[in-house]
Amino acid sequence: MDMNRDEMGRVIAEKIRAHTAGLQQMWHKAQPVKHFFIDDLLPADDALAISRSFPAPDQLSLKSSLRERKRTGVEVHQYTPCIGECLFAFQHTEVIKAIAEVTGLEGLEADPTLYASGVSLMGKGDFLNPHIDNSHDGDRARYRLLNLLFYVSPDWRVENGGNLELWDEKIRRPHPILSRFNRLVVMLTNRTSWHSVNKVLVDAPRLCVSNYYFAMKPASETAYLNVTTFAGRPEETVKRPLLKLDATLLNALGKTFPQLTRMTRHRLRAN
């Protein structure tokens, strides 16, 4: 891949601006969680180069519990350079401005520490249960407003599983969004933005490059505070009450000991 982060950022911003009116319409009509997506974000060869340069599973941290199973990483200095270039391209000022124009959200800021973002790899059997994201950044100074998900698994099909799902507030029925190659999904994060990834059903890696945007005020004008909170799927009759208890305990712990959010390994540290 020949583009650096600034060049890639300009390409992304131009792509979004070329479709602003349609994306605004998608955003304002979206249910059950506000979102938009845009396909063929980068030239196909560049998106393919990012896919081929993805860190190997043993370079990433495994998260495996009732809540989720996936591998994640933020240590961009240990990966092929184009991974970091792609991640930070989404933090380009022009990309932030283009996305702000679509969503109407003010005061958006990127996060150079990649708190809770970075890259993720999911293999056969991996999943992410319905959840709402942590309300703030790692220092609990800014609200998390937007989740940017860029998918780079070639030829990904809906029957592969591993697709994004957006849920109503009572987590009754998912709205699926295909994790299509070279697709960017931008979704709102707030106290009711339940989302998940259904189980990967094929022996192939589901690859995602993610960023979050933050702001000093929440998208709604009402202040709120929560840690990442998981729930069971409607058919998970045993897991559902267990994760409800888990969510209650985690939120109580997070509110009592706010410093715990700063201790996560899922954050890029200065060398």
Side-chain angles (χ1 to χ4, degrees):
M1 188 184 74
D2 295 329
M3 286 193 290
N4 61 33
R5 66 188 64 182
D6 289 331
E7 293 167 331
M8 198 183 310
R10 286 192 287 271
V11 168
I12 293 169
E14 288 171 6
K15 180 76 174 186
I16 293 170
R17 287 194 174 116
H19 297 84
T20 295
L23 297 178
Q24 286 174 332
Q25 186 176 33
M26 188 189 307
W27 173 266
H28 290 296
K29 289 185 176 180
Q31 294 291 335
V33 178
K34 283 193 177 297
H35 69 277
F36 72 83
F37 62 81
I38 185 166
D39 290 330
D40 305 317
L41 185 72
L42 294 176
D45 287 347
D46 292 297
L48 191 59
I50 294 164
S51 174
R52 290 173 174 168
S53 301
F54 232 74
D58 60 6
Q59 287 184 278
L60 302 172
S61 298
L62 175 64
K63 295 184 176 182
S64 184
S65 68
L66 282 176
R67 309 178 194 109
E68 60 188 335
R69 181 177 170 83
K70 64 178 182 177
R71 293 182 182 272
T72 63
V74 294
E75 302 300 330
V76 294
H77 304 301
Q78 299 176 15
Y79 310 150
T80 303
C82 74
I83 298 297
E85 297 303 304
C86 179
L87 272 165
F88 290 108
F90 289 100
Q91 301 192 9
H92 193 287
T93 302
E94 293 304 311
V95 178
I96 298 173
K97 287 180 180 177
I99 290 177
E101 188 173 353
V102 173
T103 62
L105 295 172
E106 298 179 351
L108 294 176
E109 299 175 347
D111 177 21
T113 75
L114 299 174
Y115 171 70
S117 54
V119 296
S120 70
L121 182 154
M122 300 176 75
K124 189 173 183 178
D126 290 353
F127 66 94
L128 185 58
N129 256 68
H131 65 286
I132 50 174
D133 291 323
N134 184 58
S135 56
H136 287 71
D137 63 16
D139 298 319
R140 201 170 281 186
R142 301 173 298 170
Y143 283 90
R144 193 183 312 202
L145 261 63
L146 292 177
N147 190 350
L148 283 70
L149 302 164
F150 180 47
Y151 301 113
V152 291
S153 297
D155 303 316
W156 200 259
R157 301 174 183 274
V158 67
E159 58 266 28
N160 290 0
N163 296 301
L164 177 66
E165 299 173 310
L166 305 178
W167 296 81
D168 58 282
E169 190 171 347
K170 294 186 177 180
I171 318 170
R172 294 169 298 193
R173 183 176 301 154
H175 171 76
I177 299 175
L178 172 64
S179 300
R180 184 182 186 273
F181 174 67
N182 208 5
R183 168 177 284 181
L184 172 67
V185 178
V186 177
M187 59 167 285
L188 185 71
T189 64
N190 59 19
R191 67 172 75 211
T192 61
S193 57
W194 291 94
H195 57 290
S196 62
V197 177
N198 61 3
K199 187 177 291 187
V200 177
L201 301 176
V202 295
D203 190 14
R206 184 259 200 193
L207 309 174
C208 181
V209 177
S210 67
N211 267 269
Y212 287 105
Y213 288 170
F214 298 86
M216 295 306 296
K217 294 181 180 181
S220 64
E221 289 302 315
T222 304
Y224 73 104
L225 177 67
N226 66 264
V227 301
T228 303
T229 301
F230 285 83
R233 302 174 68 90
E235 68 274 16
E236 294 176 328
T237 56
V238 174
K239 188 188 284 191
R240 200 153 174 139
L242 288 175
L243 285 179
K244 186 173 182 179
L245 176 61
D246 174 73
T248 300
L249 294 174
L250 283 177
N251 273 284
L253 188 63
K255 291 174 182 178
T256 305
F257 302 103
Q259 66 272 21
L260 293 177
T261 60
R262 302 187 186 96
M263 296 170 62
T264 178
R265 291 185 299 166
H266 200 142
R267 191 174 188 182
L268 184 61
R269 309 291 179 179
N271 287 342

